[in-house]
Amino acid sequence: MELPNHALKDLFDQLGLPSGHGEIERFIELHRPLPQEMRLADAPFWSPAQAQFLNEEFHDDADWAPLVDQLNVLLHTEP
């Protein structure tokens, strides 16, 4: 079985967000730091569909889970 090899760019594409390197950096700079007690999927800037996708992928330990976790860390880290 071949495991998917996704990049952060692919996650942003999946979420329907601009996915260029600079665009990803700007998104993270704009939205961090999230409060430590806030779950990633509960952040107010996601659409309902984006929040549902993030929640499901993280909790189901799906293909996207490592990247969702990476984004979670990036958004919870102080600049």
Side-chain angles (χ1 to χ4, degrees), residues 1-73:
M1 181 170 129
E2 190 173 324
L3 294 175
N5 187 16
H6 300 297
L8 198 54
K9 176 200 180 317
D10 300 323
L11 178 61
F12 273 68
D13 286 338
Q14 186 71 21
L15 291 167
L17 298 171
S19 60
H21 180 73
E23 294 165 318
I24 292 171
E25 285 183 351
R26 280 189 291 283
F27 180 89
I28 292 167
E29 288 173 11
L30 178 65
H31 295 294
R32 78 173 173 186
L34 291 177
Q36 289 302 316
E37 67 278 358
M38 180 178 283
R39 293 178 9 178
L40 177 64
D42 293 338
F45 46 82
W46 301 122
S47 71
Q50 290 169 325
Q52 180 180 353
F53 171 79
L54 291 167
N55 191 46
E56 288 174 357
E57 294 300 309
F58 187 76
H59 289 292
D60 293 345
D61 199 24
D63 292 347
W64 295 100
L67 287 170
V68 172
D69 189 45
Q70 179 184 356
L71 182 59
N72 183 49
V73 169

